Every structure is written in C-alpha cells, then in structure tokens.
Amino acid sequence: MTTTIDFLSHLNPNQRRAVEHFCGPLLVVAGAGSGKTRALTYRIANLIVEHKVNPENILAVTFTNKAAREMKERIQKLFAEQMALSEFGERYDLLPEYDQVRLRSKVYKHIIKDLWCGTFHSLLSRILRFDIDKYQDEKGRTWQRNFSIFDESDAQSLVKEIVTKQLNLSDKKFNPRSVRYSISNAKNQGLSPKEYEKEEPNYKGRVIAEVYNCYQDKLAENNALDFDDLILVPVRLFQQNEQVLGYWHHKFRHILVDEYQDTNRTQYQLISLLTTFGEQKSQWNWENRSVFVVGDADQSIYSFRMADFTILLDFQQDFGDGLADEDTRSMVKLEENYRSCENILEAANHLIENNTQRIDKILKATRGEGEEIFYFQADDEVAEADFAIDKIRSLEKENPDLNWGNFSILYRTNAQSRPFEDILVRNGIPYTVVGGLKFYDRKEIKDVLGYLRAIANPADTVSLLRVINTPRRGIGKATIENLTNAAQELGTTMWEILSDETSVNTLAGRSAKSVNNFVRMISRFQQEVENLPASEILQNILDESGYVQDLHNQGNDEAEDRIRNVQELYNAVRQYEEEAEQDASLQGFLASTALSSDLDNLKEGQTAVSLMTLHSSKGLEFPIVFLVGLEQGLFPNYRSMNDPAALEEERRLCYVGITRAQERLFLSHARERRLYGTREPAVRSQFLDELPRELLATQYSRKIAYKKGDARSAPVGSNNTNNTNNTNNGKPTPNINWQVGDRVMHKSFGAGEITHIFGGGSKVSVAIKFPGLGQKIIDPRVAKLKKIE
DNA sequence: AAAATTGTTGCCAGC
DNA sequence: CAACAATTTT
C-alpha cells in the first residue's frame, strides 16, 4: 500500500480540505447531498494511507447502524481498489471474482476489523462490555459485564410498576409514558435523581425524582441498562476513573462524528472527554490527534430526544480557533449539492429561509433544472394514496430505467402508512415499510430473546419472568408472587432463589416441580454458553422449551406466522455469527438486536417502494419522492403549532424531506382525513404556502398561476427575516461589535441577551435568548437590533 | 388459571 | 379504529 490513492482528484476544493485534514479540530458544515459521507470515508482512508494512522486508533460515530455498515463497505472497497493496482497492476473490477474476494477479506482482516465504527449506542455498549465493572453510581450501585439492555417497553413497564405498585400513585396523574420521558430527558442532560430534584423542586418533580431513583434500583437489580445509560454511564465512568478514560483517550486518537447537529449534551461530553482527557484547553495536545465532526443545523430534527444543535454551532468555540468564517481553520463548508435537481433545491432553500434559528447557508445546484414539483390535493387519505400509486405505476411504466426501489413515500407519522400499503398490495407492487412494528418488537421474538437474555444474564428477572410460564407450565400468579416476595425479603435476585431446589419446594407449592424443571433447563443452557455458539443455544431453546411446539399446537395462521418469525430470528443469529468475527458472543448478538433499527434492513438495490417517516429518511436519497399528508396539525404536527422553536423543527423536517429527492418530488395532502375513527376536515399545510409557487405544477395546469409580479418572494404571512425590505422598514442594524452578554432589543421578539456570536467581520450572526421564546439565531444586518445598556 | 368480554385510551418522531 | 388493560366468565 505504498502508492497514494488518487481519489483526491475527484473532490471539490472544500471536500478536499476536509479529507486532507489531519490533526486538530475540524467542523464540516455539510448541506444535504453535499457529499459528506464521501468526505468521511475518504478522510478515514486518507488517515490510514497518508498519515499511517493505525485503524484501531480511529473512532467513527454514525447515526445508524446502516450508515456504519455502508461506511465500512466503502472504505473496504477503496482499499481493495488500491491493492488491486499495487498487487496485480490491474483495476479492481477487472479482476476475477476470486481475487476480488481475496482482496476484500484481506482488507477486512487488516483494516476494517480494527476500525471502531458504529452508533454512539453500539460503540459505547462495546466499551461497557470491557469496563462497566469498574463503575459505581452515586448510590453505590454496580453492574456486571454481562448486563442486559432494556428497550423502551421494558423501561416503561418498570416505571409503571414503580408508580402503581411501589409508590401507590395513580398512573393517571403520573402516566408512565411521560414519567419515563422525563427520566430519559434527565439522563440525556446528565442529571442524577438528586440533581433532577434540585432542578424541579415542585411536587411533581419530587415524585419523578423518586420514581427515577427506584427505577435505577430496578435496573441495577436486573443488571440492566436502558438506552440512555449506554451513553451516560460511560461519561460518568470516564469522569470518575482516570485510568479507564486514559485508556480510551489514548486509543482513540482520531474521532469522527457524523450528524453532529443531532448529538445531545451527554454525547457531547463523551466526545469532549475522549478528545481532551477532561483537561483545560491550555493543556490540550493535538499532536497525532483530531476531532472531526460533520453536520448541518438545518437538518436537526431530533430535539425530542434532547439533541441540541447549538452543540454544532459551538464547535469552533469548544474545540477550535473560534475565528470568523473567512479566517477560521477549524471549519469547512460544503454547499455544493450533487443530489437534487435545481427546482427541488430552490424549493428547499426557499422553505428553510423561513426559519430564524439558522446560519446562512445556501445549497448550490450542480445538476440541471429538472422537472417541476407536482402538487396534488386529494379528497381524503385514500384518494391521496390512489394518486401516489397511480403516479408510481405510470412513471415506472414510462421509464425503463426506473424500478420500484427508486420510489419512496415519506410521511410525518407511522400511522399514515396504512392506505398506501392497502393500495400497493391491491396493485401487486412490492414495498417495504421502515419502522412501525419492528421485527424485534414482535411478541414471539421478545419471548425467545427473553430466554436468551435470562441465560446471558441470570440477574435479568424481567426476562426470567417473561419466559418462566411461556409457554404455559402451570406456574401462576400466586407462585410468582411468592418467589418475588422472597427475593425482595432476602435482597437477592430471583435467580438465586430459583437455583435452590429446597427454596423452590417450600415457596412454589404445587408448581414446584415445573419451576424446578424450568430452572434446570435454563441452567443447562447457561453452562452451554461457554462451549456452544449462540445459534446452537437458540436451537436448543426452541427444541426444549416447548415454545415452538406450543405455537404449532395452536394450529392457526397467526401461529404459523410466528413460527416463521422465530425461524427468521435463528437465521439472524447465524448471519450475525458469520459477520461479527470479533464478538460473535451471545451478548454481542443480544446487543445488536436491542440496538438494531428497522432501517438497517433497508438494502441498497432493493426493488421495492420504500415507505417511511421523514425522520427515518434522514441520510437517504431517492430519485422520486412523495411527501404526503401536508396538512396543518399533521405536518406541522399540532403539538408544535404554538411553539415557535418546535415549528422551526417541523420546517427543518420538511426541508429534510424535500432534499431527499433527486429527480422528482410530489407533494400532496387530503381535504379530509380519518382520525381516531372519525372523519376530520384538513387544511393544507403552511409549508406548502412557503414554497415558491412558480415551481409547483398541479393536475389542472402545467404550472400554478402565480399572483402578480412578486413571483419569488415569500407568500403573505410568513416571517421571512431574510427579506430585508418588507420586514424591517428599510434600515438594517449598523455594524456594531456585538458581544456575548449584550442585552438587545428586537423589533418583534422584544428584549433578549446575546449568548453566542457566529462568524466575524462583516458577516456575523448572533444567537439571542429571548425570555419565553428560547434561543434564536439572527443576522443583525437583516433584523433590526438595538443595544440596551 | 386461562379464556372471553367489555372498557379505555391514544397518533409524533426512535436508538 | 385500533391496541391494550381491566374485568368477568368458564
């Protein structure tokens, strides 16, 4: 691998700057479709080839498992191509299949295998498999390395149990869902129960803090973590144990983070600790060390899980030189869009300009104008689906280049998929729905995984209780209650009680025999874990537990379906074992199931129409996109309509949707929609009115006739702060040296305080915190600001 | 202890 | 209109 990779030649100057970056911090502001994945993969390759960085010193954080997998594949291919030239003097794709495979596996073995590339959750669960036994929380709770990962429904049932059984509170006043949400938010902000109570000292806050505390007890009792813990625990561990932090800080010399605008405070802390070893800025040493983040504040759509895009905006202050755009060496902007046709981009740019909380960035088209955007108003949701599928059929028929996989239907909520599915089925068009009911959320899958979890982690009482009487073994409520109480009294895990036959005989009465049989079976499996691969354990469970037999006896179609799904799970284990050479353990597999998302199964080159939410579509692209259900209350969602910041997030979501389209974009809505079973009238979304009309065509006219002269200005009623002339009475703010902490007066938002300054010189923007309105980013040249003393 | 029936609540997004 | 929970029946 001595020759230089020539890939640098097909990059634009800014991409090239990003890819060639070696040490120190760099923020890559990457607009939609600007080739950021390419920048990330090429940079990793460049680090290894050009700067001789050892792959095991690289940590790359992606937003989904799918993105991680694709990134690894692309790097693998880059190296294989490189080696083809240096070893065979031949182009990779001209080599015989046999040599290609050989090259790829060689690259895998020497490079890809050692790369740490994955989501925050999967990477950190891997770190915790090494080090969680060195962690102790503020109450002295500890965990072992074979911990379980509880999913959202596990977490919610724990909360429910605590609220109703332990604290005897009404689950109406403290509904488990929202309490769980509060706890999750607390964790994502790094708050312990005590700290949360300090923040929310009212009655409700005190109760939630108490639930949170008990919830942590339960997690620890089960030797389990929830999703949020996978991030929070490593942060706390790093803060309390310098040796552990030192190890990982030393190992991960080059850190890359994709979709940085969607990181939350805890994730930021983690990156910060790993990069800086928790030291003061003056102590930092960037020799052979870098932190490289990629993101786009306009695509920040996960604030509901505490993502905070000001983290991205602060990057240069936190890690970099903090200099203005023109002078900075710690930021690169990618504004050239290689994905969408000009009409689509123009619509997207126009829409997002209605947001005040943003940094100016315009996507520049590199492709042709393309076809007009099509807008359709349907009578109801069924007619809307009819329209979309009609279009899909005719387009597919007319264009031999298109296949079903080139189409996607994007909506705001999962519930909207139904009518589209119905009509796709009726037309015999293959499709896949991403999200909704996940494979691993199915009852039969959770049951079987329950066995595996109980075997991998005997302390996992939740899983144990799930399977102890599944299938029916005559172990009933009374027996389980006795056992639970006993475990409680003795302060041990239920498994310890169960392991002792005499105890079981006294406690379980009539059911003792079945309980003991069950326990013996699980013990046997636990011993097998040492010597057998997970797939064989699973096979034994299916044979010996009677689970499949029980399904078989039911004899209906639904049961047959379930058996097939269980079989599918077996295939998944086998596949996992083949792919994951380094961690082919049962625990590794269980972690992968807990952290998998539906998206991960969406394969490239699949020839089926994709249906998914706008959130899921982030990072994807399709030649033809249908953005449906553009109605007030649905999109933007009614819960966002009275909150300016939330509304802006909805608009960003719409921006994400539009920028998924490469060639053609269809926008639609219904005039009437079924909701909760009743028909409700629907009004077209305000986002439609924020698009330039002359870009839209309808079923009646080639292009919508637009009103008088003022073609490209925003429609009446929007607050377009970039339109200097009609929002500000002509006078922009004179060039003042703004400073953080300045109190200012804004014409429509009132008094506020400057919290950040972005850029410098003549093109600054400032972030201002307005009481009650939250933080906004404003360009003082455009919006009139007055300094108040 | 399990099945059948009636009642209730919820649709925002997801690792 | 669903899924899900609580309640009653067998």
Side-chain angles (χ1 to χ4, degrees):
Chain A
M1 259 173 276
T2 43
T3 32
T4 310
I5 296 185
D6 68 341
F7 52 65
L8 296 178
S9 58
H10 26 89
L11 295 173
N12 71 38
N14 278 345
Q15 284 179 329
R16 195 166 168 146
R17 258 187 75 200
V19 169
E20 290 187 312
H21 176 75
F22 180 31
C23 291
L26 188 74
L27 164 66
V28 180
V29 173
S34 61
K36 64 170 182 134
T37 314
R38 177 183 275 205
L40 276 163
T41 49
Y42 281 24
R43 175 162 185 268
I44 292 175
N46 199 53
L47 283 176
I48 298 168
V49 174
E50 206 54 42
H51 301 289
K52 313 289 175 232
V53 172
N54 189 331
E56 64 185 31
N57 296 131
I58 297 174
L59 179 75
V61 186
T62 59
F63 200 68
T64 61
N65 295 304
K66 178 170 178 268
R69 196 177 58 223
E70 284 175 358
M71 193 177 292
K72 282 187 273 194
E73 275 166 14
R74 287 172 76 161
I75 297 169
Q76 189 172 19
K77 185 130 182 274
L78 273 178
F79 278 98
E81 283 166 354
Q82 180 59 27
M83 282 167 74
L85 289 176
S86 57
E87 284 197 12
F88 296 89
E90 182 75 272
R91 268 182 51 196
Y92 174 79
D93 28 305
L94 297 177
L95 288 175
E97 175 83 17
Y98 170 81
D99 287 324
Q100 288 188 359
V101 171
R102 226 190 46 142
L103 277 181
R104 277 211 306 275
S105 72
K106 195 168 167 190
V107 172
Y108 182 83
K109 210 170 129 206
H110 290 109
I111 295 166
I112 309 298
K113 186 165 67 71
D114 298 326
L115 268 178
W116 279 58
C117 176
T119 62
F120 272 109
H121 296 268
S122 69
L123 292 166
L124 293 176
S125 78
R126 225 172 127 188
I127 287 180
L128 290 176
R129 295 284 169 209
F130 289 99
D131 283 333
I132 198 171
D133 48 351
K134 303 176 188 71
Y135 170 72
Q136 193 169 43
D137 81 357
E138 71 283 350
K139 288 252 176 155
R141 303 179 189 104
T142 56
W143 281 261
Q144 295 167 301
R145 288 155 65 156
N146 59 341
F147 63 88
S148 296
I149 299 170
F150 278 6
D151 66 24
E152 209 40 54
S153 73
D154 293 324
Q156 246 174 64
S157 11
L158 280 193
V159 168
K160 189 180 175 185
E161 199 182 314
I162 292 162
V163 170
T164 57
K165 304 261 170 62
Q166 228 166 307
L167 304 176
N168 280 319
L169 293 160
S170 125
D171 57 354
K172 292 221 170 89
K173 185 104 207 296
F174 294 97
N175 114 314
R177 210 179 119 103
S178 78
V179 173
R180 161 68 194 140
Y181 186 64
S182 302
I183 294 173
S184 180
N185 284 353
K187 286 187 172 186
N188 285 323
Q189 292 172 94
L191 301 175
S192 66
K194 215 187 232 157
E195 289 160 341
Y196 179 84
E197 193 173 351
K198 223 187 278 169
E199 296 271 312
E200 303 279 330
N202 48 40
Y203 170 66
K204 197 167 180 188
R206 289 204 311 276
V207 172
I208 291 173
E210 178 63 15
V211 178
Y212 181 7
N213 190 39
C214 298
Y215 173 77
Q216 286 310 108
D217 284 340
K218 289 228 180 256
L219 285 176
E221 276 167 26
N222 283 278
N223 187 28
L225 300 179
D226 65 21
F227 288 136
D228 308 315
D229 287 330
L230 293 177
I231 321 285
L232 182 56
V233 169
V235 168
R236 295 234 177 99
L237 173 61
F238 288 166
Q239 283 166 338
Q240 70 184 215
N241 190 324
E242 196 169 278
Q243 245 186 322
V244 172
L245 174 59
Y247 174 82
W248 299 105
H249 168 74
H250 183 74
K251 176 175 169 63
F252 297 130
R253 307 207 67 97
H254 296 278
I255 298 178
L256 301 93
V257 187
D258 194 8
E259 307 286 7
Y260 194 63
Q261 78 282 358
D262 281 320
T263 53
N264 63 37
R265 286 284 147 197
T266 325
Q267 290 164 339
Y268 162 74
Q269 273 190 312
L270 189 103
I271 295 301
S272 174
L273 281 164
L274 282 173
T275 306
T276 69
F277 193 50
E279 285 177 323
Q280 296 300 308
K281 210 164 185 171
S282 55
Q283 310 278 313
W284 295 353
N285 175 8
W286 289 109
E287 202 178 315
N288 284 317
R289 180 173 291 285
S290 70
V291 59
F292 178 97
V293 306
V294 184
D296 175 5
D298 285 337
Q299 294 185 68
S300 162
I301 54 173
Y302 279 97
S303 72
F304 72 89
R305 56 182 206 211
M306 292 283 101
D308 178 356
F309 68 85
T310 61
I311 290 172
L312 177 132
L313 303 179
D314 284 341
F315 179 84
Q316 293 184 80
Q317 292 294 335
D318 291 339
F319 295 103
D321 48 29
L323 295 175
D325 273 25
E326 311 86 271
D327 309 317
T328 187
R329 302 187 55 204
S330 56
M331 197 238 292
V332 172
K333 272 189 188 176
L334 307 181
E335 292 181 296
E336 262 150 280
N337 176 294
Y338 299 98
R339 178 187 297 153
S340 310
C341 292
E342 202 172 346
N343 281 338
I344 294 168
L345 274 190
E346 199 175 327
N349 281 332
H350 213 278
L351 176 86
I352 202 67
E353 275 178 18
N354 288 287
N355 273 6
T356 56
Q357 300 199 55
R358 66 186 296 259
I359 297 243
D360 270 350
K361 170 172 57 59
I362 293 280
L363 287 176
K364 298 184 203 84
T366 63
R367 304 187 51 182
E369 181 181 331
E371 309 251 2
E372 67 272 3
I373 297 166
F374 200 95
Y375 161 72
F376 183 77
Q377 184 180 54
D379 288 339
D380 59 17
E381 74 278 0
V382 178
E384 186 183 32
D386 263 329
F387 158 74
I389 277 74
D390 252 17
K391 278 280 180 235
I392 291 175
R393 285 181 59 180
S394 59
L395 282 167
E396 197 265 352
K397 209 167 172 184
E398 288 161 21
N399 302 280
D401 298 344
L402 290 175
N403 67 65
W404 301 126
N406 297 135
F407 298 89
S408 93
I409 298 172
L410 309 180
Y411 36 74
R412 177 68 239 265
T413 69
N414 279 309
Q416 286 167 254
S417 73
R418 176 64 69 75
F420 294 94
E421 288 186 68
D422 287 348
I423 295 179
L424 285 163
V425 169
R426 208 174 307 153
N427 283 278
I429 299 174
Y431 69 92
T432 42
V433 184
V434 176
L437 186 70
K438 280 196 298 176
F439 180 71
Y440 292 110
D441 286 341
R442 288 163 204 263
K443 184 185 177 298
E444 61 275 21
I445 301 303
K446 294 194 81 169
D447 287 342
V448 176
L449 288 176
Y451 278 96
L452 289 174
R453 284 194 346 190
I455 289 159
N457 173 21
D460 187 342
T461 309
V462 170
S463 296
L464 204 54
L465 290 180
R466 178 178 189 107
V467 297
I468 195 168
N469 198 33
T470 321
R472 316 247 120 90
R473 299 187 175 89
I475 302 170
K477 213 171 118 191
T479 307
I480 285 169
E481 203 164 310
N482 282 341
L483 291 165
T484 309
N485 290 338
Q488 190 85 52
E489 301 264 313
L490 295 173
T492 66
T493 61
M494 172 156 312
W495 179 249
E496 259 177 77
I497 308 253
L498 290 175
S499 314
D500 180 44
E501 282 200 18
T502 353
S503 309
V504 172
N505 288 335
T506 28
L507 290 162
R510 277 182 310 196
S511 319
K513 209 172 162 192
S514 347
V515 175
N516 281 323
N517 280 333
F518 170 76
V519 172
R520 273 195 287 273
M521 175 177 71
I522 298 291
S523 304
R524 210 164 51 241
F525 293 142
Q526 281 167 355
Q527 281 152 29
E528 289 174 359
V529 169
E530 311 285 326
N531 335 304
L532 294 180
S535 56
E536 283 189 44
I537 309 261
L538 178 57
Q539 191 60 60
N540 292 344
I541 290 170
L542 297 180
D543 292 342
E544 294 173 40
S545 70
Y547 190 83
V548 175
Q549 188 61 51
D550 181 65
L551 282 173
H552 213 75
N553 293 341
Q554 289 177 24
N556 52 31
D557 287 357
E558 198 191 325
E560 291 299 323
D561 248 14
R562 298 205 154 152
I563 293 175
R564 262 193 296 280
N565 286 334
V566 169
Q567 207 54 53
E568 196 56 45
L569 181 68
Y570 177 78
N571 296 338
V573 189
R574 291 298 295 265
Q575 197 185 337
Y576 177 83
E577 285 168 346
E578 275 167 32
E579 285 170 8
E581 290 170 33
Q582 82 279 36
D583 185 22
S585 64
L586 175 57
Q587 277 159 39
F589 173 71
L590 286 172
S592 81
T593 62
L595 303 175
S596 92
S597 81
D598 225 25
L599 257 183
D600 303 334
N601 304 318
L602 192 71
K603 298 226 171 60
E604 193 80 17
Q606 196 175 324
T607 57
V609 177
S610 305
L611 280 69
M612 69 188 87
T613 63
L614 288 154
H615 281 91
S616 296
S617 78
K618 189 168 84 159
L620 305 177
E621 58 185 6
F622 299 91
I624 294 157
V625 167
F626 290 81
L627 182 44
V628 305
L630 282 152
E631 291 145 40
Q632 288 294 96
L634 186 61
F635 188 30
N637 189 267
Y638 67 99
R639 303 161 102 116
S640 319
M641 290 180 54
N642 293 318
D643 176 349
L647 186 65
E648 296 209 348
E649 178 146 323
E650 295 283 305
R651 193 176 283 114
R652 290 195 292 271
L653 194 53
C654 189
Y655 176 79
V656 167
I658 291 173
T659 53
R660 298 310 95 198
Q662 296 169 315
E663 319 279 341
R664 299 213 61 184
L665 175 64
F666 294 87
L667 306 170
S668 64
H669 78 89
R671 262 200 244 97
E672 195 180 67
R673 183 175 293 273
R674 265 198 127 78
L675 202 66
Y676 289 128
T678 52
R679 297 205 150 276
E680 298 286 346
V683 179
R684 59 185 254 147
S685 168
Q686 64 190 95
F687 298 150
L688 283 168
D689 299 320
E690 293 173 8
L691 300 176
R693 295 200 165 196
E694 76 281 5
L695 294 180
L696 301 185
T698 69
Q699 67 264 46
Y700 306 117
S701 63
R702 220 184 112 67
K703 293 195 177 182
I704 295 182
Y706 51 91
K707 288 178 204 158
K708 326 161 212 177
D710 187 25
R712 300 233 159 165
S713 76
V716 191
S718 74
N719 9 313
N720 187 344
T721 51
N722 287 332
N723 199 332
T724 315
N725 291 328
N726 48 27
T727 35
N728 291 310
N729 303 335
K731 273 188 206 152
T733 318
N735 219 341
I736 299 178
N737 265 333
W738 301 102
Q739 294 203 324
V740 172
D742 281 354
R743 305 261 314 145
V744 295
M745 179 63 78
H746 183 276
K747 194 159 172 285
S748 41
F749 301 131
E753 188 184 320
I754 295 186
T755 55
H756 295 81
I757 313 268
F758 306 110
S762 61
K763 44 181 288 195
V764 291
S765 347
V766 293
I768 305 171
K769 201 167 173 181
F770 295 103
L773 292 168
Q775 192 161 265
K776 301 196 174 297
I777 294 156
I778 280 164
D779 185 340
R781 290 166 305 161
V782 171
K784 200 172 172 186
L785 288 179
K786 224 163 71 188
K787 206 162 167 172
I788 31 187
E789 302 311 321

